[in-house]
Amino acid sequence: MKKSLLQEFFKGFWEILPPFRLVLGLCPILAVTTLAENGLGMGIATTFVLFFSNILIALLKNVIPKKVRIAAFIIIIATFVVIVELVMKAYFFPISQKLGLFIPLIVVNCIILGRAEAFASKNTVLRSAADGLGVGLGFTMSLVLISSLRELLGAGSVFGIEVMWSGFEPFGFMVQAPGAFVCLGMILALINLVPKKI
Amino acid sequence: MIKEYLKMIIVLTLIAAVCGFLLSAVKTFTFERIEEQILVNVKGPALKNVLSQSTNNPINDRLEIELDGIIHTVFIGKKGDQLYAVAYESEGNGFGGAIGVMLGIDIEKSTISGIGILTHQETPGLGSRISETSFTDKFKGRAVSDNFKVKKDNGSIDAISGATNSSRGVCSAAEKGVALYSKLKVEILKKINKRSDKK
């Protein structure tokens, strides 16, 4: 049974929610989620790349020969990543400095190549656009969720706004690398308690 | 068979060419804006430190001065209307790569008004301490003719313990910077006088 366009869009928020359902794209999830602001910035950048690379790959799917498809996908994805990098540097300089190396690393984010290979190269442009946007926004949501949690426990604030009571002692460990693994593991376990199809 | 290979080559080449063209267009479009952002966000804070007594905005009052075929961007610090200090960039080799230094020189007294570290790739926690004020303040107030070397190399700068090479990098940047100073000063004064003549 074929899904409707709306279903293609919303599956990114739960059914194949990255990184919890697909367990892909863990590098940014672990690396940049120290502050909610960074998580959001990374999510938006990834969504942009995913949306446009999905559209372009769906458009070109009949032109690209099967044997060189991965190379072609990577060129297309890398182009959009560099565009994002330049635009971020030009208009959102402070956040692009914080994310630093992780913006160019979107090129090798498995979610993007994964959606290109598994979805966009087999589906129509409209469906691929819905899929890219849905998965991208789902990814953004997950990044914001983890980074807010880590910032809340590790620094006592969310998006830079103090929310904890004044005597709160932050767990410094939550904003360091091990905190990311613990957070990811706990949320993954909780989400796996709930069935895929509700 | 050959047709298949030919198709692969043509398609990949075309995709790469279009992408390359697109990127160069975006690059040209954002180039100036990025330069400006770096000026405001990276060099701005360093300049504020180095030209701390200036009442003007050194980023707006910058000059481009050509010396031996190299263009130096010189930031001008004024007290009221009076030029009192200039700042420009210099570079030295540290432990992990090039260290970019903003060097401020007080023109009236011919002393260093301050230095600021712009970029570096030194070891975090060790060499990275070159950007702390406790180290950069060691250069403040020294005459331009001073010997900018670490004590190990018979100079007068106390190196950070455990980060001698990083300290050397900053020192060599300062040395290179002050070596340019006398030549640059002439050119700067020429340009500024020209400007005030026009007014």
Side-chain angles (χ1 to χ4, degrees):
Chain A
M1 197 187 82
K2 272 236 162 183
K3 285 189 174 116
S4 76
L5 213 56
L6 222 61
Q7 277 172 318
E8 294 290 9
F9 176 68
F10 279 112
K11 74 176 189 293
F13 290 89
W14 184 253
E15 204 183 309
I16 59 160
L17 174 71
F20 303 121
R21 287 294 189 206
L22 293 175
V23 201
L24 285 178
L26 294 182
C27 166
I29 278 279
L30 295 171
V32 300
T33 53
T34 48
L35 294 172
E37 198 192 342
N38 295 0
L40 184 67
M42 187 70 193
I44 291 171
T46 312
T47 305
F48 175 88
V49 175
L50 194 54
F51 180 64
F52 285 102
S53 66
N54 254 16
I55 290 179
L56 202 63
I57 287 165
L59 268 174
L60 296 175
K61 64 176 182 286
N62 295 327
V63 186
I64 299 171
K66 268 257 146 14
K67 280 182 185 161
V68 289
R69 67 183 189 285
I70 301 288
F73 295 166
I74 288 285
I75 294 174
I76 291 167
I77 293 166
T79 307
F80 285 114
V81 170
V82 178
I83 291 176
V84 166
E85 197 192 354
L86 289 173
V87 169
M88 270 184 116
K89 258 195 192 150
Y91 297 96
F92 309 97
F93 193 82
I95 185 124
S96 87
Q97 264 211 318
K98 272 191 203 162
L99 295 176
L101 181 68
F102 293 100
I103 294 290
L105 276 182
I106 297 175
V107 178
V108 288
N109 190 325
C110 298
I111 293 174
I112 296 171
L113 192 61
R115 292 327 286 167
E117 170 77 7
F119 198 92
S121 59
K122 294 175 191 135
N123 284 283
T124 59
V125 176
L126 218 54
R127 276 171 184 282
S128 302
D131 176 81
L133 199 61
V135 172
L137 290 176
F139 184 61
T140 309
M141 198 174 79
S142 315
L143 276 168
V144 172
L145 176 73
I146 292 193
S147 53
S148 308
L149 195 66
R150 286 180 70 192
E151 193 183 343
L152 180 73
L153 295 174
S157 58
V158 173
F159 283 103
I161 304 158
E162 295 286 334
V163 284
M164 292 304 231
W165 60 95
S166 59
F168 174 73
E169 188 67 44
F171 306 91
F173 136 91
M174 285 308 277
V175 288
Q176 281 159 359
F181 284 101
V182 171
C183 256
L184 178 70
M186 300 253 213
I187 297 175
L188 205 58
L190 280 177
I191 283 186
N192 275 340
L193 281 179
V194 189
K196 230 181 198 175
K197 299 238 162 80
I198 318 171
Chain B
M1 192 64 182
I2 289 174
K3 218 179 155 192
E4 196 193 338
Y5 280 115
L6 219 57
K7 197 191 167 195
M8 279 187 223
I9 293 167
I10 290 169
V11 170
L12 261 188
T13 312
L14 273 180
I15 290 178
V18 170
C19 287
F21 180 75
L22 196 69
L23 281 184
S24 67
V26 175
K27 174 93 186 172
T28 334
F29 183 71
T30 54
F31 181 73
E32 269 178 33
R33 182 82 209 183
I34 291 174
E35 290 281 290
E36 200 185 298
Q37 292 276 338
I38 291 173
L39 225 53
V40 172
N41 287 299
V42 181
K43 294 178 185 168
L47 279 171
K48 212 169 247 173
N49 224 340
V50 165
L51 303 175
S52 54
Q53 292 171 49
S54 62
T55 50
N56 64 330
N57 182 353
I59 290 183
N60 291 340
D61 292 336
R62 59 178 193 268
L63 296 174
E64 310 245 298
I65 288 175
E66 199 181 322
L67 211 62
D68 303 329
I70 303 163
I71 294 173
H72 299 271
T73 308
V74 178
F75 302 92
I76 305 293
K78 290 180 187 164
K79 273 186 207 161
D81 268 347
Q82 192 60 40
L83 164 78
Y84 92 99
V86 295
Y88 49 91
E89 284 168 54
S90 181
E91 212 179 68
N93 266 325
F95 182 67
I99 300 175
V101 174
M102 181 66 79
L103 185 71
I105 295 177
D106 191 317
I107 284 210
E108 289 159 358
K109 296 183 225 151
S110 280
T111 55
I112 304 262
S113 66
I115 66 163
I117 310 296
L118 296 173
T119 52
H120 72 81
Q121 289 122 41
E122 303 307 296
T123 322
L126 271 175
S128 69
R129 285 167 58 208
I130 51 169
S131 49
E132 286 174 10
T133 45
S134 59
F135 181 69
T136 53
D137 277 355
K138 285 176 185 163
F139 292 84
K140 225 177 224 174
R142 284 174 190 270
V144 261
S145 53
D146 208 333
N147 182 6
F148 294 101
K149 276 202 165 89
V150 294
K151 283 194 173 153
K152 248 187 203 169
D153 305 338
N154 303 321
S156 56
I157 306 278
D158 254 328
I160 297 170
S161 53
T164 311
N165 275 326
S166 308
S167 309
R168 268 189 195 132
V170 180
C171 286
S172 75
E175 264 188 321
K176 274 186 215 162
V178 293
L180 286 173
Y181 174 64
S182 55
K183 271 192 195 168
L184 267 179
K185 187 182 173 184
V186 179
E187 297 292 319
I188 292 166
L189 291 177
K190 247 192 230 164
K191 269 214 174 171
I192 287 181
N193 288 336
K194 236 189 223 168
R195 258 196 202 170
S196 47
D197 283 349
K198 270 182 199 163
K199 278 175 193 168

